[in-house]
Amino acid sequence: MSKKVLIISGSPRKNGNSDILCGQFEKGAREAGNTVEKVNLRELKIGYCKACYGCRGTGACVQKDDMESLLEKMVAADVLVLATPVYFYSMDGQMKTMIDRTLSRYTEMRDKDVYLIATAAAGRRAMARTMDALKGFTDCLPGAKVRREIYGEGVYQRGEVESTPAYREAYEAGKAV
Ligand SMILES: Cc1cc2nc3c(=O)[nH]c(=O)nc-3n(C[C@H](O)[C@H](O)[C@H](O)COP(=O)(O)O)c2cc1C
């Protein structure tokens, strides 16, 4: 069955390591006949959550920016892919800012299959807190299941991930959604 797959690439670095893994996932998921969209947070204007709770009862954020359409896509997707570089042992600010802005609609994001992608200069053990932080978000989504965590480890310069097992792994994960 064809699924709606939404890939959210959080790196500010175009064609960086996590972005490349997103591309691999996208390729696999498309080849398997799914409807796939990749969104690059670096191209969007997304303000910080102001904790004004203006969304309470309305389900709509008071800020009118690119988060409005991204929320629509997130609610509609069957599969969510969240990809971030590790910055100081956590996700980057772009990903966290986006996650905070789901406040108005995250309870509508039901029964998603979730794939997590992280890239870091260090090894897998140093990436645990980043994956945990992403799962802190997905734990809040009703019925969400994390299907796979993809670790692009030991990659510093743009493109280094292409010679790691994660490159193939991301493709295979996309193919099997
Ligand atoms: C601000 C900043 C903080 C970083 N912090 C870490 C870190 O804590 N641990 C680590 O292993 N690598 C760290 N890195 C390296 C990146 O995680 C690494 O280069 C990764 O491959 C970048 O992924 P990208 O190409 O998708 O942006 C940091 C890089 C930047 C720019």
Side-chain angles (χ1 to χ4, degrees), residues 106-173:
Y106 73 94
T107 55
E108 294 174 62
M109 296 175 193
R110 308 190 74 85
D111 304 323
K112 309 294 179 194
D113 282 338
V114 179
Y115 293 79
L116 303 176
I117 295 174
T119 50
R124 180 171 296 228
R125 280 181 60 200
M127 302 166 78
R129 281 181 280 192
T130 302
M131 289 297 190
D132 278 352
L134 290 171
K135 283 183 269 184
F137 169 57
T138 61
D139 283 352
C140 297
L141 307 182
K145 289 193 182 61
V146 175
R147 296 291 182 194
R148 192 105 163 235
E149 298 169 35
I150 298 166
Y151 292 79
E153 54 188 307
V155 293
Y156 182 53
Q157 302 292 351
R158 193 186 260 140
E160 284 179 353
V161 80
E162 287 175 5
S163 51
T164 73
Y167 187 68
R168 182 84 198 164
E169 208 185 314
Y171 170 76
E172 301 288 358

Side-chain angles (χ1 to χ4, degrees), residues 63-84:
Q63 297 185 65
K64 299 301 166 213
D65 59 15
D66 291 331
M67 198 60 204
E68 210 172 348
S69 64
L70 182 54
L71 281 168
E72 272 310 314
K73 293 173 187 180
M74 291 176 84
V75 170
D78 302 304
V79 178
L80 283 177
V81 182
L82 302 174
T84 180

Side-chain angles (χ1 to χ4, degrees), residues 11 13 16-19 85-89 119-122 155-156:
S11 179
R13 194 150 74 156
N17 293 310
S18 55
D19 207 28
V86 171
Y87 280 4
F88 294 102
Y89 294 92
T119 50
V155 293
Y156 182 53

